[in-house]
Amino acid sequence: MATPRKSAQQLAAREKARTKAKELTERHERLIEMAAEFFEQQEQAELLRAEAKKKAEAILAKAEADAQSAVQSAAETVKAMLGAGEARSAVAARLGLSGAEVKRMIDLVTERPEPAEPDGVEGPEVTEPGDVEAA
């Protein structure tokens, strides 16, 4: 039998190399697609976390505002108890507060800021009874 020619061997080797290269290229393309999918999923996870964090911060801010409102109402109740003639020590004992806590509650009610006038608008001028000049 005759030995195959050198050019036929080279042709077969090239064809085998092309087939192997094509398989490697296809595998490489699949891996690139999977990597792209991975990065998209990672970005989606970050977006979900950021959105959840924003919602949580809004919930906490509302809860804090509601809690401050409740504390303000509690302070007004303490002031009403004192206004009813009850001694500070008796109010403190009844509510389970220290004297300092009762004072802080009173301060909360008395330090309540007044609503500000809109810019450029001044409120009515108030005169004391002794400030009126004789006409």
Side-chain angles (χ1 to χ4, degrees), residues 1-94:
M1 185 156 163
T3 59
R5 293 177 60 208
K6 191 171 184 180
S7 62
Q9 286 177 341
Q10 287 176 342
L11 186 62
R14 282 190 189 122
E15 189 59 34
K16 188 175 181 179
R18 282 189 185 107
T19 303
K20 193 67 168 170
K22 182 179 177 184
E23 289 172 5
L24 288 174
T25 301
E26 288 172 358
R27 182 172 185 264
H28 180 70
E29 289 298 321
R30 281 193 313 270
L31 290 172
I32 288 173
E33 288 299 316
M34 286 183 216
E37 197 174 304
F38 169 82
F39 289 120
E40 287 173 11
Q41 293 164 344
Q42 288 288 85
E43 186 175 331
Q44 182 66 23
E46 288 304 314
L47 289 173
L48 289 170
R49 285 186 186 107
E51 185 177 321
K53 184 176 180 180
K54 186 177 177 181
K55 287 179 182 178
E57 288 172 353
I59 290 169
L60 288 172
K62 183 179 181 333
E64 184 59 33
D66 291 347
Q68 287 297 328
S69 177
V71 168
Q72 186 68 36
S73 295
E76 289 170 3
T77 301
V78 168
K79 183 154 181 153
M81 291 174 83
L82 292 170
E86 196 67 24
R88 276 190 189 192
S89 59
V91 171
R94 183 177 300 272

Side-chain angles (χ1 to χ4, degrees), residues 73-122:
S73 295
E76 289 170 3
T77 301
V78 168
K79 183 154 181 153
M81 291 174 83
L82 292 170
E86 196 67 24
R88 276 190 189 192
S89 59
V91 171
R94 183 177 300 272
L95 299 177
L97 300 174
S98 69
E101 290 171 318
V102 170
K103 182 178 181 337
R104 270 188 247 124
M105 290 285 188
I106 295 167
D107 290 345
L108 275 176
V109 176
T110 57
E111 291 177 2
R112 183 194 270 172
E114 293 296 320
E117 294 287 332
D119 288 341
V121 177
E122 294 183 21

